[in-house]
C-alpha cells in the first residue's frame, strides 16, 4: 500500500525523465512489425510504375504457382468488401472528390498505387512472387504540378472533367471581421507600398523513422488490427463505416509507434487491403512497407503555390493582405485533404493587426502521391508567407525587420484580441518573447558583424532571420469543426481508475507516438490527485482499453486530452469525498483534500485516496446512496483554440562562391503558457526546429515529368544528420501568458518549432545576400539556387548554356533546366 | 528489402575465388565489403545467381611497405586504411579521402578495393587514386597484371577488371611529405559528393596532383590546373587562377543536386581551396 | 546454409538462406526485435549492431557472413557491464536523447562504438561520428548531448 507515502513535490513543471524510455533504450519494444502470430501470412504489394494508366490485364498465375504463395488478389477479386479510403473534410459542398479504392481494378492515378497483393507464408516468398505478377497497363497522359493541373488540359481523373477540386474563400469584409482588401491594395498603390510575391511551398515527405506496418488478426470474436498509426480511433470508425464490419467487432491497436508528424494521420490502402485479405483468408496477416514504398505511397505534405499581395502605408503599417493558394492534393483527396491548406487560412494574419484580409484556396488533383498533414499542417505555410513578406516590407521601408513587426503586432495590453480572420486570441506577449530572444541571441552584435562583413566584401556573408509566429493549436472546438464541414469533433476523453492496491490507471483517447504522454500525463495526475508519479500508469492506443478518443495530431494531446484528464480526476475526488465523509463520519463540507488525503478540518483524522480505492474494492462499508466506485471519466470539448507564440532568430552564413549555407546560431523564445515537463517541451522544440529548417534547406519531394518520384529513397530525399545541424538556444518567457481557456494554462508545443523555423532560416539566407540584389530564394535553398540568385545580375553565374562550351551537342545532360530541382 | 535468392560462396584463396568466378561467369557477382552491393541486391536492382564473398581471403587484407610504394590489400577496410601510419606518411591524400567515405559503420565493413572496383563516379576514392597514380593489381586465370590508374577507370561503374578477374591490391607510389586535402561538397553529410576535389602537392608548390570526383563518368585529373600549378607559389591569387582551368575537359552530370555548369563552377572553386589547404597556405 | 555464432552472449545455430540479411536473422529467427529496419539504402543506421566489437549496419551484412562471429545488439548491451543499463543507455534517458525511440537502438550502438574509439569527443566529433544514423524526432540536439554526457561520465 502506498497510502502512507509522502506526496512528492509539485510534479507539474518538473523535468521528469521519461517513463517510456526504459523499454526503448533496451530494445524491449513492440513495434507493429515485431508482432508475430501463429499461422501469420505476409503480404507484398504490386505497385504501378506509371502515374496514370488503365489496367488492361493482370496475370497472377505464375505468382500463384510460386513457392508457399497462398493467394494473389487484385481489385477485381474484391467487391465492396474492400471498402474505400475516405475524405473526412470536404471543404466545400461542391468539392470534386474522385472515388478512392484501396486497390483500384481499372485505373491507377499515381506511380506507386497498389494493383495486386500477394499473400505468402513468408515476407521473402511474397516479395519473390510479387515480381511474377504480370500487369499490362495502357499508359495515359499524366498531369503533374499545380500550374499544369490548373490548365485542365490533361486530367488526373478524366471522369471528373476538371482537376480543380474545390475553391474555399474567406473575406474579412464579407465575414464582418475587417475591411475590403482590394480597396486597401488600391490605396497602397497610390500612396503606400504593395509587396507582391509568389512563394512555393515545396512538396515534403513526413519520413517518420518507423516505416508503416499493419497486422490484422481475424481470429476471435473481434477482428484486431495493429497499425503504426497516429489515429487508432478514427481508423476503427473508418473501417466500420466503409467495410461493413460493426464498429463493436473491431479492435484497433496502435502499439509502439515510431513517429508520425502527421504522416500517420491517415487511413491507408495498405490497412484496408490487409483487413480485406485477413477476412477473406481467415488468417492473421502482416504487411510492413519498405522505406522506398513509404516514400512513394505514404502521404506527402505541403505542396502549395502562394500568390500574395501585402498592402501597407509608407511607414510599413500593413493595411491589407490578400492570399491566393493553389494546393496540390495529389491523386486523391486524402483523409483531411483540402482541409490542410484551409487550416492556414486563419493564420496568415499571424500576430498582426491587419485591417483587411482575403484568403482563397484552390485545391487541385494531379497524378502524384496524395498529400495530407505534415507537422504544422497549413500553419507553417501561412507563417512562412507572412514572415517572408514582413521582411520584404522592412527592406522596402528601410527599417530593421523587428521594427516592422513591432509596428504591426498586437500589443500585450490588447488581449483578448479578435483577429481579422475571426479568431479570438486569448493571451500573448510578443514584446516579452522578442526582447528575451534578442538578448540571448546577441542580436546587435551579430548585426554589427554583418555590417563589417558586407563592408569588406567577405566571401562568407552573414544574414539574420526573424520569425515572430503564432499558431492555433489544440484541435479543436467541435462546433468550429462542424462549421467548417469537418467530419468529426475535436473533443477528447479520459478516464481514471483507482485499483485495489492504490495504483492509478489513466486511460486517454490520445495516442502517443514519441511525445511522452505517459510521463507528462502521470505528472498531471500525480499533482492533481496527490499520488506518487510512479503509481500512475497511462494506457492508450487500444480501442478496447481506450474506447473513446480522437487521437494525436494538431498539438492537441496535452491541451485537449490533458484537460479531459483534469476533469476526470476532479470527478474522482468528488466521488471519493462522498465515501470519505462516510468512512470518516464527517460532513463533506468539513473535508479538505490535499496531498492525496481527505482530512477533517480541525482534527488529525484523515484518509488517503488509496485507502478509499481499497474500500471500493472490498465494498464492506460504503454509503447507501453511493455507487460502489470512485472511478470517473470525462469528455472535454475545448471552447477555443490556444495560441502559443514565439520569436525565433537565426543567423546563417552564406558562402558566396559556392552558395553553401551554414547555420551559425539559432535562438528561440516560445511562450507556450504553463509547462508540464520542460525536458519534453525542449525535445519537441528541437525536433520541430530541425523539421522546419529541413524544409528551408534540404528536403524536397520531386516527381519527374512522367510522374515517377525521383526522390524515392533516403539517398535522394535528403534528411539532415547530426553533422548538418547545430545545438539550439531554446528559451521561454519568464512570465508566460497562460492559456485562459483550460485549467492547466497550457498551450500546444508539438508543431511550434516547425512552424516558426522555416521563415527564420530563409529570411536569414536572403538577408545575407540582399545587398547583392537578392530578394527571394526558392525552398529548399540549395547551394545551387543560392549561387544562382547571388549571381543572377552580375554575370558570374552564366546561364547553363553559355557555361557548357565543352559539351558535345548530344550529351545527355544538356538540358539546362533538368537539374533545377523544381520538379513540378 | 529482401534480395532475390542466390548461392553464396566464400573462397579462402584468390585461386579458389578465380575458379568460382570462372565456373559461374556473369551469373556471379563478387562481394568485397558489400556496402554498395547489398543495397543494390536489397533493392533488387541486380540479381546475381551466385555471390562470391572475398571476406574469407586473408591475403587480400593488410597494408605493407614495398619500397617506392605502399601496397593496400583490396579487402582492407576503409577504417583500417584511414588509421594506418604508412598511409598517413606516404599517401596522406588517401588518408584524408577515406575518412570522408560514407559513415563510420560503412567504413568498418566497406573495403578499399571494393570501392575502387565499384567505380561509382561519385565515390570518394577514385579521384585520389588517380591523382596519386595508383597501380591496380588484378588477378586472373592467366596470372596477375598491373593496370595504371589512367587506364583503370573505363566508364560509369566500369573498370579494367575483366569478368574473370579480381582486384587483389592497389599500389600507391609513395608521396612522402606531400601535403594533401580532400575537399568534398555535399548538401547533407550522408550524401554522395556533388563534386569533390582531391589535391596533393609537393612543396609550395613544386608539383601538384589534382583529382576530381563526380565530374564525369569516371574520376578525372585536372591536368591543366596541375600544369599551371607546377612551380607556382602557393598564394591565393596564383592558386585560384590555376584552378580556373580545373573544369576543362570535364563532363559532369546534371541532377537534383546541381546542373552541369554549376558543378563545373564548384570544381574550379573547390580545386582552389583543396590546393591551398594541401599546400598548407 | 548452417551458421553458428554468438549473439548477445549466447551461442546460436540456424539454417538460413544466403540472402537473409543479418538484421532479418536477428529479428525473424532470434526474435531480437530491439534491432529495427528503417530504410532500404543503408542511410538510416537504425539497424546498427556490433560485429566482433565494431559497429555495422546489420542490413548491410548477410547473416551467413556473421557465422563464427560475435554480434551484440541493443538487447545484449547492458549485460556486458555492471548494473541494469549501459552508461550510454543511461545517458540517453538522462538527456532525453529519444522521443519515439525507433532510431534509438542504432543511435546507442553507434554512440558506444564512437566512444570506444574516442572517449573524449568534442561536439563536432560527436556530430560527425553519428552521421550514419538518422533521427526524425529529436533534431539531434539531445542525442549529441547524450553522447557528450556519456563521455563525461566515463562510459567508454
Amino acid at each position: 500500500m502506498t497510502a502512507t507515502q509522502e506526496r512528492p513535490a509539485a510534479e507539474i513543471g518538473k523535468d521528469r525523465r521519461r517513463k517510456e524510455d526504459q523499454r526503448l533504450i533496451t530494445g524491449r519494444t513492440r513495434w507493429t512489425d515485431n508482432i508475430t502470430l501463429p499461422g501469420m501470412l505476409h503480404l507484398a504489394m504490386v505497385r504501378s510504375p506509371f502515374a496514370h494508366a488503365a489496367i488492361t490485364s493482370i496475370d497472377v498465375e505464375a505468382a500463384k504457382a510460386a513457392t508457399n504463395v497462398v493467394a494473389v488478389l487484385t481489385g477485381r477479386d474484391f467487391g465492396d468488401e474492400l471498402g474505400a479510403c475516405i475524405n473526412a473534410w470536404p471543404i466545400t459542398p461542391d468539392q470534386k472528390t474522385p472515388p478512392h479504392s484501396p486497390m483500384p481494378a481499372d485505373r491507377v492515378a499515381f506511380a506507386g498505387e497498389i494493383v495486386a497483393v500477394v499473400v505468402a507464408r513468408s515476407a521473402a516468398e511474397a516479395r519473390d512472387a510479387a515480381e511474377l505478377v504480370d500487369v499490362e497497363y495502357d499508359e495515359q497522359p499524366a498531369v503533374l504540378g499545380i500550374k499544369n493541373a490548373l490548365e485542365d488540359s490533361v486530367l488526373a481523373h478524366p471522369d471528373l472533367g476538371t482537376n480543380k477540386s474545390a475553391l474555399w474563400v474567406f473575406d474579412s469584409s464579407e465575414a464582418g471581421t475587417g475591411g475590403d482588401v482590394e480597396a486597401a491594395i488600391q490605396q497602397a498603390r497610390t500612396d503606400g507600398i504593395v509587396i507582391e510575391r509568389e512563394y512555393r511551398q515545396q512538396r515534403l515527405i513526413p519520413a517518420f523513422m518507423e516505416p508503416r506496418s499493419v497486422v490484422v488478426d481475424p481470429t476471435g470474436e473481434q477482428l484486431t488490427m495493429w497499425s503504426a498509426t497516429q489515429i487508432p480511433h478514427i481508423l476503427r470508425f473508418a473501417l466500420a463505416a466503409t467495410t461493413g464490419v460493426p464498429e463493436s467487432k473491431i479492435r484497433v491497436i496502435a502499439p509502439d509507434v515510431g513517429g508520425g508528424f502527421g504522416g500517420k494521420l491517415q487511413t491507408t490502402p495498405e490497412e484496408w487491403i490487409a483487413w480485406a485479405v485477413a477476412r477473406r483468408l481467415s488468417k492473421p496477416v502482416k504487411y510492413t512497407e519498405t522505406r522506398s514504398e513509404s516514400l512513394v505511397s505514404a502521404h506527402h505534405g505541403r505542396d502549395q503555390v502562394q500568390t500574395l499581395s501585402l498592402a501597407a502605408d509608407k511607414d510599413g503599417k500593413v493595411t491589407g493582405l490578400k492570399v491566393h493558394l493553389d494546393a496540390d492534393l495529389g491523386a486523391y483527396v486524402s483523409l483531411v485533404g483540402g482541409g490542410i491548406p484551409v487550416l492556414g487560412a486563419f493564420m496568415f494574419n499571424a500576430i498582426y493587426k491587419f485591417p483587411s484580409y482575403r484568403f482563397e484556396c484552390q485545391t487541385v488533383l494531379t497524378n502524384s502521391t496524395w498529400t495530407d498533414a505534415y507537422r504544422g499542417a497549413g500553419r507553417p505555410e501561412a507563417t512562412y508567407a507572412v514572415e517572408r513578406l514582413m521582411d520584404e516590407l522592412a527592406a522596402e521601408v528601410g527599417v530593421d525587420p523587428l521594427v516592422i513587426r513591432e509596428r504591426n503586432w498586437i500589443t500585450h495590453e490588447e488581449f483578448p484580441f479578435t483577429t481579422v480572420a475571426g479568431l479570438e486570441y486569448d493571451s500573448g506577449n510578443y514584446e516579452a518573447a522578442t526582447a528575451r530572444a534578442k538578448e540571448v541571441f546577441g542580436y546587435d552584435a551579430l548585426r554589427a558583424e554583418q555590417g563589417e562583413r558586407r563592408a569588406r566584401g567577405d566571401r562568407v556573408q552573414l544574414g539574420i532571420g526573424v520569425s515572430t509566429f503564432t499558431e492555433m493549436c489544440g484541435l479543436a472546438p467541435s462546433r468550429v469543426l462542424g462549421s467548417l464541414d469537418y467530419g468529426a469533433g475535436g473533443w477528447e476523453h479520459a478516464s481514471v481508475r483507482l485499483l485495489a492496491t492504490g495504483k492509478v490507471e489513466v486511460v486517454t483517447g490520445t495516442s502517443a507516438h514519441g511525445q511522452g504522454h505517459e510521463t507528462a500525463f502521470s505528472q498531471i495526475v500525480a499533482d492533481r490527485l496527490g499520488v506518487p508519479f510512479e503509481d500512475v500508469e497511462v494506457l492508450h492506443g487500444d480501442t478496447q482499453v481506450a474506447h473513446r478518443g480522437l487521437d494525436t495530431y494538431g498539438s492537441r494531446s496535452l491541451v485537449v486530452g490533458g484537460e479531459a484528464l483534469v476533469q476526470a480526476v476532479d470527478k474522482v475526488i468528488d466521488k471519493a469525498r462522498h465515501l470519505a465523509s462516510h468512512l470518516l463520519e464527517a460532513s463533506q463540507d468539513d473535508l479538505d483534500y490535499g496531498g492525496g488525503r481527505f482530512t477533517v478540518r480541525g482534527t488529525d483524522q484523515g484518509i488517503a485516496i488509496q485507502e478509499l480505492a481499497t474500500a471500493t474494492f472490498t465494498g464492506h462499508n460504503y454509503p447507501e446512496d453511493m455507487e460502489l466506485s470512485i472511478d470517473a471519466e470525462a469528455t472535454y470539448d475545448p471552447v477555443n483554440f490556444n495560441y502559443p507564440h514565439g520569436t525565433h532568430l537565426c543567423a546563417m552564413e552564406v558562402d558566396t562562391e559556392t552558395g553553401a549555407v551554414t547555420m551559425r546560431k539559432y535562438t528561440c523564445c516560445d511562450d507556450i503558457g504553463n509547462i508540464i515537463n520542460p525536458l519534453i517541451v525542449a525535445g519537441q522544440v528541437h525536433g520541430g526546429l530541425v523539421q522546419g529548417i529541413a524544409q528551408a534547406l534540404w528536403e524536397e519531394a520531386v516527381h519527374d515529368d512522367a510522374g515517377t518520384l525521383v526522390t524515392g529513397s533516403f539517398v535522394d530525399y535528403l534528411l539532415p544528420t547530426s553533422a548538418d545541424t547545430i545545438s539550439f538556444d531554446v528559451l521561454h518567457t519568464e512570465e508566460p501568458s497562460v492559456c485562459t481557456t483550460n485549467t492547466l494554462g497550457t498551450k500546444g508545443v508539438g508543431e511550434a518549432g516547425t512552424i516558426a523555423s522555416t521563415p527564420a532560416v530563409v529570411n536569414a539566407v536572403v538577408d545575407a545576400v540582399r545587398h547583392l540584389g537578392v530578394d527571394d530564394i526558392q525552398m529548399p535553398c540549395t547551394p545551387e539556387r543560392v549561387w544562382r540568385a547571388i549571381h543572377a545580375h552580375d554575370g558570374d553565374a552564366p546561364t547553363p548554356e553559355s557555361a557548357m562550351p565543352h559539351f558535345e551537342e548530344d550529351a545527355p545532360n544538356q538540358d539546362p533546366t533538368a537539374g533545377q530541382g523544381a520538379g513540378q | 528489402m529482401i534480395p532475390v535468392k542466390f548461392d553464396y560462396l566464400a573462397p579462402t584463396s584468390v585461386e579458389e575465388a578465380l575458379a568460382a568466378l570462372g565456373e559461374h561467369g556473369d551469373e556471379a557477382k563478387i562481394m568485397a565489403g558489400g556496402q554498395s552491393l547489398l543495397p543494390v541486391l536489397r533493392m533488387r536492382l541486380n540479381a546475381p545467381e551466385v555471390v562470391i564473398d572475398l571476406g574469407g581471403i586473408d591475403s587480400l587484407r593488410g597494408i605493407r611497405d614495398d619500397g617506392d610504394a605502399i601496397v593496400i590489400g583490396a579487402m582492407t577496410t576503409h577504417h583500417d586504411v584511414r588509421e594506418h601510419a604508412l598511409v598517413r606518411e606516404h599517401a596522406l591524400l588517401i588518408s584524408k579521402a577515406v575518412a570522408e567515405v560514407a559513415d563510420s559503420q560503412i567504413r568498418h565493413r566497406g573495403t578499399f578495393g571494393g570501392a575502387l572496383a565499384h567505380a561509382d563516379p561519385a565515390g570518394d576514392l577514385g579521384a585520389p587514386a588517380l591523382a596519386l597514380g595508383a597501380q591496380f593489381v588484378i588477378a586472373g586465370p592467366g596470372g596477375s597484371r598491373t593496370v595504371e590508374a589512367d587506364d583503370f577507370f573505363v566508364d560509369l561503374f566500369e573498370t579494367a577488371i575483366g569478368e574473370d578477374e579480381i582486384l587483389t591490391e592497389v599500389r600507391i607510389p609513395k608521396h612522402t611529405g606531400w601535403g594533401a586535402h580532400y575537399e568534398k561538397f555535399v548538401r547533407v553529410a550522408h550524401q554522395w559528393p556533388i563534386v569533390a576535389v582531391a589535391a596533393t602537392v609537393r612543396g609550395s608548390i613544386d608539383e601538384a596532383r589534382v583529382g576530381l570526383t563526380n565530374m564525369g563518368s569516371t574520376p578525372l585529373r585536372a591536368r591543366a590546373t596541375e600544369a599551371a600549378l607546377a612551380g607556382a607559389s602557393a598564394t591565393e591569387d596564383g592558386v585560384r587562377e590555376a584552378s580556373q582551368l580545373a573544369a576543362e575537359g570535364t563532363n559532369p552530370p546534371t541532377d537534383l543536386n546541381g546542373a552541369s555548369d554549376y558543378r563545373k563552377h564548384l570544381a574550379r572553386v573547390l580545386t582552389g581551396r583543396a590546393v591551398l589547404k594541401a599546400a598548407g597556405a | 546454409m548452417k551458421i553458428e555464432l554468438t549473439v548477445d552472449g549466447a551461442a546460436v545455430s540456424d539454417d538460413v538462406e544466403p540472402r537473409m540479411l543479418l538484421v532479418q536473422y536477428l529479428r525473424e529467427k532470434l526474435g531480437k526485435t530491439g534491432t529495427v529496419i528503417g530504410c532500404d539504402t543503408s542511410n538510416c543506421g537504425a539497424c546498427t549492431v556490433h560485429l566482433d566489437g565494431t559497429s555495422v549496419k546489420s542490413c548491410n551484412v548477410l547473416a551467413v557472413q556473421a557465422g563464427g562471429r560475435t554480434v551484440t545488439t541493443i538487447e545484449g548491451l547492458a549485460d556486458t557491464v555492471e548494473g541494469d543499463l549501459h552508461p550510454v543507455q543511461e545517458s540517453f534517458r538522462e538527456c532525453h536523447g529519444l522521443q519515439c525511440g525507433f532510431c534509438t537502438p542504432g543511435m546507442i550502438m553507434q554512440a558506444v562504438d564512437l566512444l570506444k574509439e574516442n572517449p573524449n569527443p568534442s561536439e563536432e566529433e560527436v556530430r560527425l561520428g553519428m552521421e550514419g544514423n538518422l533521427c526524425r524526432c529529436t533534431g539531434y540536439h539531445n542525442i549529441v548531448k547524450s553522447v557528450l554526457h556519456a563521455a563525461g561520465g566515463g562510459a567508454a
Side-chain angles (χ1 to χ4, degrees), chain C residues 86-143:
Chain C
H86 186 282
V88 175
Q89 290 171 315
E90 190 60 62
S91 282
F92 270 70
R93 175 163 67 185
E94 177 62 23
C95 301
H96 188 31
L98 63 148
Q99 289 179 31
C100 83
F102 194 78
C103 75
T104 309
M107 285 286 177
I108 290 176
M109 297 310 284
Q110 178 54 23
V112 171
D113 185 274
L114 185 157
L115 292 174
K116 190 188 70 189
E117 293 207 6
N118 182 0
N120 284 300
S122 64
E123 176 174 339
E124 194 194 350
E125 285 168 338
V126 171
R127 288 187 173 277
L128 284 172
M130 303 295 289
E131 71 185 347
N133 293 70
L134 297 175
C135 169
R136 195 62 159 164
C137 293
T138 65
Y140 304 104
H141 182 112
N142 282 347
I143 288 175

Side-chain angles (χ1 to χ4, degrees), chain A residues 396-702:
Chain A
E396 191 72 25
V397 177
V399 297
D400 188 279
L402 282 170
V403 171
I404 211 78
R405 285 166 172 82
E406 207 176 328
R407 270 179 207 168
N408 287 283
W409 71 32
I410 304 159
T411 62
H412 70 275
E413 305 93 351
E414 292 174 293
F415 291 94
F417 183 89
T418 301
T419 73
V420 74
L423 294 179
E424 188 184 280
Y425 293 178
D426 60 332
S427 66
N429 189 336
Y430 309 139
E431 300 95 316
T434 302
R436 182 145 161 71
K438 230 182 130 174
E439 183 196 332
V440 173
F441 184 67
Y443 190 85
D444 296 335
L446 283 163
R447 279 279 179 223
E449 182 186 333
Q450 176 184 40
E452 287 160 22
R453 285 184 185 231
R454 280 191 186 181
R456 67 170 189 266
D458 200 330
R459 178 172 67 77
V460 179
Q461 289 292 319
L462 180 67
I464 295 166
V466 174
S467 168
T468 47
F469 86 104
T470 188
E471 57 159 325
M472 52 194 264
C473 56
L475 297 176
S478 297
R479 292 186 187 89
V480 173
L481 292 177
S483 72
L484 292 170
D485 302 312
Y486 181 65
W491 48 264
E492 197 42 82
H493 182 264
S495 57
V496 177
R497 310 197 284 236
L498 280 292
L499 305 186
T501 53
K503 303 289 183 192
V504 181
E505 272 181 352
V506 169
V507 183
T508 174
T510 65
S511 190
H513 40 282
Q515 290 87 347
H517 293 174
E518 291 163 37
T519 303
F521 288 6
S522 292
Q523 289 178 269
I524 293 170
V525 172
D527 258 11
R528 195 93 186 166
L529 196 57
V531 297
F533 169 79
E534 294 77 11
D535 284 358
V536 182
E537 193 73 20
V538 177
L539 307 176
H540 61 84
D542 177 346
T543 60
Q544 227 167 57
V545 174
H547 67 284
R548 230 169 111 70
L550 280 169
D551 309 320
T552 288
Y553 43 85
S555 303
R556 69 186 304 274
S557 294
L558 173 63
V559 293
V560 187
E563 186 66 15
L565 191 49
V566 165
Q567 297 193 353
V569 169
D570 288 353
K571 285 186 187 173
V572 167
I573 296 169
D574 275 351
K575 285 182 165 184
R577 184 182 301 274
H578 189 26
L579 180 59
S581 137
H582 174 80
L583 293 175
L584 292 168
E585 295 175 350
S587 157
Q588 287 193 37
D589 296 338
D590 292 337
L591 295 181
D592 290 325
Y593 189 71
R597 287 179 71 79
F598 287 100
T599 48
V600 184
R601 211 167 299 132
T603 76
D604 58 359
Q605 281 192 301
I607 189 164
I609 190 79
Q610 292 90 346
E611 292 174 276
L612 295 168
T614 308
T616 62
F617 171 70
T618 60
H620 297 166
N621 182 9
Y622 64 102
E624 290 292 339
D625 60 348
M626 181 188 167
E627 180 191 354
L628 188 53
S629 167
I630 57 172
D631 296 349
E633 55 187 297
T635 297
Y636 172 67
D637 193 19
V639 296
N640 192 355
F641 298 95
N642 60 79
Y643 305 96
H645 69 83
T647 296
H648 289 226
L649 299 172
C650 171
M652 296 293 297
E653 292 182 344
V654 177
D655 180 336
T656 55
E657 281 184 351
T658 62
V661 298
T662 312
M663 188 170 287
R664 161 93 167 265
K665 192 171 175 63
Y666 196 105
T667 303
C668 59
C669 181
D670 290 332
D671 183 337
I672 53 164
N674 290 330
I675 291 173
I676 306 299
N677 184 324
L679 201 66
I680 289 176
V681 161
Q684 287 291 320
V685 174
H686 298 149
L689 288 178
V690 169
Q691 287 187 5
I693 293 165
Q695 176 176 10
L697 299 182
W698 298 300
E699 294 179 23
E700 178 168 26
V702 179

Side-chain angles (χ1 to χ4, degrees), chain A residues 1-21:
Chain A
M1 291 292 282
T2 51
T4 55
Q5 282 181 9
E6 280 289 303
R7 176 177 174 268
E11 282 291 341
I12 289 179
K14 199 168 169 182
D15 58 352
R16 273 282 185 189
R17 289 353 182 222
R18 297 200 317 170
K19 288 186 164 182
E20 293 85 342
D21 290 357

Side-chain angles (χ1 to χ4, degrees), chain A residues 316-389:
Chain A
K317 188 133 178 59
V318 175
T319 54
L321 174 63
K322 187 168 92 168
V323 176
H324 179 87
L325 295 189
D326 294 300
D328 192 343
L329 295 166
Y332 297 102
V333 191
S334 56
L335 185 65
V336 186
I340 298 297
V342 167
L343 279 174
F346 307 97
M347 282 289 115
F348 275 87
N349 52 292
I351 63 169
Y352 307 113
K353 294 178 282 188
F354 293 169
S356 66
Y357 173 55
R358 180 179 171 85
F359 172 93
E360 303 166 354
C361 172
Q362 174 70 58
T363 57
V364 298
L365 293 153
T366 61
N367 295 113
S368 62
T369 304
W370 57 350
T371 63
D372 202 317
Y374 173 54
R375 202 170 190 171
R379 292 152 291 165
E381 298 93 308
T383 304
Y384 180 84
V386 70
E387 290 303 290
R388 285 284 298 114
L389 288 174

Side-chain angles (χ1 to χ4, degrees), chain B residues 26-231:
Chain B
D26 57 9
E27 291 162 3
K29 195 86 192 156
I30 293 281
M31 179 158 72
Q35 302 303 285
S36 292
L37 178 63
L38 284 173
V40 165
L41 299 187
R42 283 198 308 267
M43 306 283 275
R44 299 196 169 204
L45 301 172
N46 199 330
E49 288 178 18
V50 179
V51 168
I52 302 172
D53 182 0
L54 304 185
I57 308 177
D58 291 340
S59 65
L60 294 179
R61 259 188 294 275
I63 297 169
R64 66 175 199 275
D65 193 323
D66 191 28
D68 59 354
I70 57 167
V71 180
I72 302 176
M75 289 294 291
T76 313
T77 64
H78 301 305
H79 179 263
D80 289 349
V81 172
R82 178 190 184 180
E83 297 296 309
H84 209 282
L86 277 178
V87 180
R88 217 173 295 150
E89 189 182 350
H90 302 297
L92 184 60
L93 183 58
I94 296 290
S95 244
K96 298 251 174 141
V98 84
E100 298 290 326
V101 173
D103 55 54
S104 163
Q105 294 99 310
I106 301 283
R107 288 194 296 269
H108 283 143
R109 289 287 296 169
T111 65
F112 191 71
L116 286 164
H118 184 54
D120 188 324
D124 289 303
L125 299 182
L130 196 62
L132 293 173
Q135 297 171 315
F136 295 81
V137 182
I138 298 169
S144 257
R145 64 191 180 105
T146 299
V147 175
E148 298 294 329
D150 286 341
D151 302 320
F152 181 75
F153 298 102
V154 175
D155 204 345
L156 211 64
F157 302 108
E158 194 183 334
T159 68
I161 305 170
E163 283 192 359
D164 53 355
E165 294 182 316
I166 291 167
L167 176 67
T168 55
E169 54 190 34
V170 183
R171 298 172 57 84
I172 314 276
K174 283 185 181 171
H175 285 67
T176 317
W178 287 50
H181 186 76
Y182 187 67
E183 183 82 17
K184 181 169 174 170
F185 193 84
V186 289
R187 289 179 54 207
V188 297
H190 63 119
Q191 196 183 13
W192 293 87
I194 297 168
V195 174
V197 178
T200 190
V201 302
R202 181 166 60 82
S204 71
I205 295 172
D206 300 319
E207 201 178 349
R209 300 290 183 83
V210 178
L212 305 174
T213 303
N214 212 16
M215 287 296 290
S217 56
T218 66
L220 298 170
R221 281 273 288 275
R223 292 190 190 274
T225 295
E226 291 178 2
L229 286 169

